[in-house]
Each structure stands twice: as structure tokens, then as C-alpha cells.
């Protein structure tokens, strides 16, 4: 009986070892890291996409996705992580809970307002997000679209071919830009500001936008 228990202990230890990843962190974006040569999606959190914009307390648009990634890279890049595998996502990434210097990385990111609790998949960090939002720290100091909603909107635009950019100028003028026009490439769309994509010029005009002059 004792020998049988010992065998079970060895099997459990081997299973845990197979699910554990360790290594130096290379930050791909705020919630996606490379650890020990494997792409890891941090469990239970979601952070703004690299190209995502937000609105600050003064209603000015800023590149919150790039900022969050930069801050995470500065604070975690090169440090050693210990990660426990939980799943594999549809992109083939390992979904894992990671600790850095003994602290839960996901928890730290949510607590300081660099990421949100990914409530669709986990309830682990909801209380941390609620406290961060109440304190107005990090992203909660302004207005930000939930990353999963931002990605959903981008997929919808791509699937419909709706590539006309409905921009709102600093003077509040609603202007739509067609692909190929002079300022199309540099025009950024911020949904939190009320800007949007259109599928046709007629749709844009009906919504109150006018055509860009060049």
C-alpha cells in the first residue's frame, strides 16, 4: 500500500512538472509573454491591444495600448517567471498563471490598472479591478474601451470590408476619410471618442459625417 501511494505521488509530481514553465520574460504585449521559448497568454486578464487608443481625463486621445506594453516591458522584461499551464488557446498559446519574484503577475497588472479582469474566462481578478477602478489608477484614470470589445469591433470591420474612417476633428467636425485619400493612413479611430468605421460614403453621410476634402 505504501509503495502504491509513493507511485501516485511520483505521477502527480511528474504531471505538475510538465505543466510548469520557467524562464526569462520577453514581453510581446502586456498580457502575452514569451517564457522559456514558449508564447504564454496570461490567465484571467486582458490588456489593451498595441494599436488601441484611449481617452484621458481631459478627453484627449492617446495610445494607451502602446503605453501599457511599454510599462510592462520596463517592469517585467528580462525577469524570471514561473508559470503554471492552465490551457491552450485557439492561437496555440499556452494560457498560464505566472509569478514573478513570488508575486502573481496577473494580479499585479490588474491592481495598478494596466489590465482588466477577463471575466469571460475567470473571476480571479474581479475584486482587484473593482478596487483599481474605484481608485482611478492606470487606465481607469480616463476612458477606455474593453480590449475584447475593441478586438470584436476590428473583426467586424474586417469581415464587412468597412474601411471608411469616421473621424472627429479637434473642433468637433465629423469627417470621413476614404482609402487612398491624403490623410487616411494617419487618421486613427477612437471609439471611446465617438469615432467609427463606415461601409459606404452614403452610410457616413446619413450618420452626419462629411467627406474629407483631400
Amino acid at each position: 500500500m505504501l509503495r502504491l501511494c509513493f507511485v501516485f505521488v511520483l505521477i502527480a509530481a511528474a504531471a505538475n512538472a510538465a505543466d510548469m514553465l520557467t524562464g526569462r520574460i520577453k514581453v510581446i504585449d502586456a498580457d502575452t509573454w514569451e517564457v522559456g521559448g514558449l508564447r504564454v497568454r496570461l490567465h484571467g486578464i486582458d490588456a489593451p491591444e498595441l494599436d488601441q487608443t484611449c481617452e484621458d481625463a481631459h478627453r484627449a486621445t492617446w495610445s494607451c495600448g502602446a503605453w501599457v506594453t511599454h510599462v510592462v516591458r520596463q517592469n517585467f522584461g528580462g525577469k524570471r517567471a514561473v508559470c503554471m499551464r492552465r490551457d491552450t488557446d485557439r492561437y496555440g498559446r499556452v494560457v498560464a498563471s505566472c509569478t514573478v519574484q513570488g508575486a502573481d503577475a496577473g494580479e499585479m497588472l490588474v491592481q495598478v490598472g494596466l489590465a482588466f479582469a477577463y471575466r469571460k474566462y475567470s473571476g480571479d481578478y474581479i475584486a482587484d479591478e473593482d478596487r483599481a477602478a474605484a481608485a482611478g489608477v492606470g487606465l481607469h484614470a480616463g476612458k477606455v474601451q474593453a480590449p475584447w470589445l475593441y478586438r470584436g469591433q476590428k473583426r467586424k470591420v474586417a469581415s464587412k470590408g468597412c474601411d471608411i474612417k469616421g473621424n472627429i476633428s479637434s473642433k468637433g467636425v465629423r469627417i470621413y476619410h476614404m482609402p487612398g485619400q491624403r490623410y487616411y493612413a494617419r487618421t486613427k479611430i477612437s471609439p471611446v471618442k465617438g469615432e467609427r468605421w463606415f461601409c459606404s460614403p452614403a452610410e457616413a453621410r446619413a450618420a452626419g459625417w462629411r467627406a474629407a476634402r483631400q
Side-chain angles (χ1 to χ4, degrees):
M1 184 67 180
L2 182 61
R3 183 177 180 181
L4 186 60
C5 290
F6 181 67
V7 170
F8 284 145
V9 169
L10 287 179
I11 292 173
N16 287 336
D19 288 335
M20 186 170 290
L21 307 170
T22 62
R24 298 290 177 186
I25 299 167
K26 179 181 179 182
V27 175
I28 307 303
D29 60 32
D31 54 30
T32 305
W33 299 352
E34 190 174 286
V35 179
L38 290 177
R39 191 65 59 93
V40 173
R41 178 65 163 81
L42 295 178
H43 167 75
I45 72 169
D46 201 9
E49 298 297 304
L50 273 169
D51 62 347
Q52 190 169 342
T53 59
C54 299
E55 196 172 287
D56 65 19
H58 303 290
R59 304 190 69 180
T61 302
W62 63 292
S63 301
C64 57
W67 173 77
V68 167
T69 297
H70 173 73
V71 173
V72 174
R73 187 170 287 136
Q74 290 290 103
N75 285 275
F76 291 91
K79 292 183 178 178
R80 189 172 185 82
V82 178
C83 303
M84 183 60 67
R85 183 194 301 262
R86 287 174 171 261
D87 201 353
T88 301
D89 70 9
R90 60 179 176 171
Y91 303 108
R93 299 174 299 187
V94 174
V95 178
S97 296
C98 298
T99 60
V100 179
Q101 297 177 342
D104 183 329
E107 181 180 67
M108 286 190 287
L109 293 176
V110 174
Q111 285 179 343
V112 297
L114 294 175
F116 300 89
Y118 209 168
R119 300 173 188 232
K120 179 179 178 180
Y121 297 103
S122 172
D124 288 356
Y125 307 116
I126 292 175
D128 296 296
E129 182 186 317
D130 289 344
R131 285 191 290 270
V137 298
L139 295 166
H140 302 289
K143 189 175 181 181
V144 57
Q145 184 179 34
W148 52 89
L149 295 179
Y150 177 77
R151 291 192 298 270
Q153 185 178 52
K154 284 186 67 176
R155 286 193 294 269
K156 183 178 179 181
V157 168
S159 66
K160 289 186 175 181
C162 302
D163 53 2
I164 298 174
K165 296 180 177 181
N167 176 251
I168 301 176
S169 74
S170 58
K171 296 181 179 179
V173 180
R174 298 171 182 262
I175 304 170
Y176 68 85
H177 299 260
M178 301 284 292
Q181 287 190 295
R182 181 175 180 180
Y183 297 109
Y184 181 85
R186 71 175 69 174
T187 299
K188 304 298 181 183
I189 299 303
S190 175
V192 297
K193 190 179 175 182
E195 297 173 334
R196 53 180 290 194
W197 298 82
F198 295 103
C199 301
S200 70
E203 181 188 7
R205 289 193 296 270
W209 266 258
R210 70 161 176 81
R213 295 191 173 90
Q214 54 182 327

